[in-house]
Amino acid sequence: MSSSGPRYALYVAPATNDPLHEFAARWLGWDAASGQAHAATAATGLDARQQAALTTEPRRYGFHGTLKPPFRLAPDRDEAGLLAALEQFTQSRAAFALPALRVAALGQFLALQPSAPCSLADQLAADSVRQFDIFRAAASAAELAKRRAAGLSARQEAYLLAWGYPYVLEEFRLHFTLTSRIADPAEREQIRAYLHAATADFTRHEFPVSDICLFVQREPDQPFRIEQRFALRG
C-alpha cells in the first residue's frame, strides 16, 4: 500500500478549444492541459482572495468529471501498460453527449452537473472503475481514514474497500467541481448565482464526451495535468 509515486485518474474534460475549458481554467487558477497557472481575479461580488480560497481544493485536480478516481499503480503494473490498456479500452467505446450542464450544490460544494441522468456516462464510469482496477494499488490506511471521515453508508463503505473510493457504481454522480466546501449557506448561494450567470453561455448545449483524459500528478505538491487524451472510437 504505497503512498508514494505518481497518481493517475481517468477523467472527462472539455476540449481545449471549448470556451468552458478557458473559463474553468481561469476560475480554478489552473489549466490542466497547458500546465499554466492563473492568478485569481476579482469577480462580480467576489474579491481575488475569496476566489482563490474558494477554489483551493479543485485547483489541485484541474477541471474534470471523474470516471475512475485518483490511484497509484500497483507494484506489478507500470505506466506503459496503463496507456496500452486505455488505448484498447477506448477502441470499443463510442462518443456521446451529456445533457446540458447546470450549476448545482452537492452538499457544501458547487459543481456543474448534467441537467438530466445519462446512462451512457454512468456505464462508462462503471466500466472504467472495474476494468482499470487491476492497475490500482490498495488504498493506504490514511486514505481510507480520510474517506471515512465524511461519514459513509454501508454500501459506500463496501465500495471503499472493494474499489478504493466510496462514490462509484450506484453511488456515482458525474459532476465537474467548481469550489471547495462552502459552509455558509448564504455565501454558497451567492457563489452559485455568480457561477450560474458566468457559465450561462457555455452550458446552453449538450456537453460532448469524445475522449477519456488520463490525468497525472507526478509529485504530491503538484497539481494534476492531462497526460494524454484517448479518443472514444467505438
Side-chain angles (χ1 to χ4, degrees):
M1 294 188 289
S2 172
S3 59
S4 61
R7 288 201 298 167
Y8 302 83
L10 306 185
Y11 289 159
V12 171
T16 54
N17 62 355
D18 187 324
L20 179 58
H21 167 82
E22 181 67 15
F23 168 81
R26 292 190 176 279
W27 167 254
L28 296 181
W30 174 246
D31 186 329
S34 68
Q36 180 181 4
H38 295 282
T41 56
T44 305
L46 304 174
D47 61 34
R49 182 179 300 178
Q50 184 183 19
Q51 180 183 336
L54 283 169
T55 55
T56 299
E57 186 66 14
R59 184 162 54 248
R60 296 177 58 226
Y61 295 92
F63 185 68
H64 72 276
T66 300
L67 296 175
K68 184 169 181 61
F71 60 94
R72 291 184 174 85
L73 288 175
D76 60 341
R77 301 289 170 172
D78 58 25
E79 186 172 310
L82 176 61
L83 296 176
L86 273 164
E87 192 70 41
Q88 182 176 12
F89 178 80
T90 52
Q91 286 180 2
S92 61
R93 267 73 183 178
F96 60 95
L98 293 173
L101 303 177
R102 60 178 176 82
V103 179
L106 296 179
Q108 293 186 345
F109 65 91
L110 299 173
L112 283 167
Q113 275 190 297
S115 53
C118 181
S119 61
L120 292 173
D122 294 345
Q123 189 61 58
L124 182 63
D127 289 347
S128 298
V129 165
R130 292 188 176 106
Q131 296 202 28
F132 290 93
D133 207 58
I134 59 172
F135 289 94
R136 179 181 64 86
S140 68
E143 289 168 338
L144 294 175
K146 178 182 177 181
R147 296 300 177 193
R148 288 170 175 147
L152 302 179
S153 67
R155 183 165 68 184
Q156 290 167 350
E157 172 68 18
Y159 286 168
L160 176 64
L161 294 176
W163 308 106
Y165 193 71
Y167 310 113
V168 297
L169 307 180
E170 290 89 350
E171 296 292 328
F172 172 76
R173 299 293 182 272
L174 182 64
H175 61 276
F176 299 76
T177 305
L178 292 169
T179 71
S180 304
R181 294 185 184 277
I182 307 172
D184 182 349
E187 181 185 13
R188 190 162 61 246
E189 176 54 27
Q190 174 200 13
I191 307 305
R192 188 207 64 78
Y194 166 75
L195 288 170
H196 174 76
T199 59
D201 289 342
F202 314 140
T203 56
R204 298 183 189 278
H205 308 290
E206 294 179 326
F207 179 93
V209 178
S210 57
D211 52 35
I212 292 176
C213 297
L214 176 65
F215 277 55
V216 183
Q217 182 190 42
R218 293 292 174 188
E219 299 292 340
D221 60 345
Q222 295 177 350
F224 278 80
R225 287 194 61 176
I226 297 177
E227 184 82 5
Q228 191 169 332
R229 290 178 182 263
F230 294 84
L232 298 171
R233 301 187 297 279

